[in-house]
Amino acid sequence: MLTFTVAPELRVDQWFNEKPSFRLSSLRGRVVVVFAFQMLCPGCVQHSIPQAKQVHAAFDPSEVVVLGLHTVFEHHDVMTPHALAAFIHENRITFPVGVDSPQPGSSIPRTMAEYAMRGTPTLLLIDALGRLRMQHLGQLSDLTLGAQLAKLLQELPAERASAPFVADSPRAT
């Protein structure tokens, strides 16, 4: 039997399109798709952000939640939260986007380090029990992502029936 680890909490300094106290753990009971990106990353702008918008528009938010994670590991002086606010507005991004917290003494932000991300774009798929089921660096085809989401959505009824949802409570893996 496969075992999966509980996805670490996102270390976010600021949220856009969401309340400041928002937590990943509050989404248990739903599939979560996290698109980690940088505003100046061509693959993010050309592929990942449009794909995130498509997933957000295609699925019922009671089943699939899309989150953006702006994880800056280079060009820190130009990719500020103020610039991100303009980027979100100009690109009509309506799903929640968090700003990854910096780590003192490192160019790598906290969530990026905790998930051992190697760059952007990075896609995280988290199941309804809060377990990290996929982490992918680079472009993932729409077909592959759709197949993975279908697989996780098929698990929803069984997981909801066998494991009642309680927000912000840890789950065993």
Side-chain angles (χ1 to χ4, degrees):
M1 180 166 116
L2 291 175
T3 60
F4 302 99
T5 60
V6 173
E9 193 60 56
L10 302 178
R11 307 299 179 195
V12 170
D13 277 352
Q14 180 178 356
W15 283 102
F16 293 90
N17 302 330
E18 188 53 73
K19 61 186 179 212
S21 61
F22 178 76
R23 296 180 51 82
L24 178 63
S25 58
S26 70
L27 300 174
R28 299 268 167 83
R30 295 181 265 181
V31 174
V32 179
V33 188
V34 179
F35 290 88
F37 72 98
Q38 292 190 100
M39 291 182 289
L40 298 180
C41 163
C44 299
V45 173
Q46 295 167 7
H47 180 78
S48 183
I49 296 295
Q51 186 177 57
K53 290 169 67 174
Q54 289 176 340
V55 172
H56 180 65
F59 291 94
D60 181 337
S62 71
E63 294 181 337
V64 177
V65 176
V66 173
L67 301 176
L69 180 67
H70 192 239
T71 185
V72 179
F73 58 91
E74 58 191 357
H75 308 298
H76 296 276
D77 53 337
V78 295
M79 289 196 279
T80 64
H82 182 72
L84 179 60
F87 179 86
I88 290 168
H89 174 75
E90 292 297 322
N91 287 280
R92 295 178 176 90
I93 297 171
T94 58
F95 52 84
V97 175
V99 177
D100 200 353
S101 297
Q103 284 193 99
S106 175
S107 64
I108 305 299
R110 291 179 65 195
T111 305
M112 185 177 203
E114 198 158 336
Y115 277 87
M117 293 180 200
R118 298 185 335 254
T120 57
T122 294
L123 174 83
L124 306 173
L125 284 181
I126 301 167
D127 69 16
L129 296 177
R131 302 172 301 188
L132 182 62
R133 298 287 290 269
M134 173 190 262
Q135 181 167 328
H136 180 82
L137 171 65
Q139 294 183 9
L140 187 65
S141 76
D142 293 340
L143 184 60
T144 301
L145 177 56
Q148 292 299 317
L149 287 171
K151 179 180 175 182
L152 294 178
L153 286 169
Q154 283 181 320
E155 297 172 4
L156 278 182
E159 288 178 350
R160 286 182 176 177
S162 65
F165 168 71
V166 178
D168 295 329
S169 67
R171 297 234 183 228
T173 57

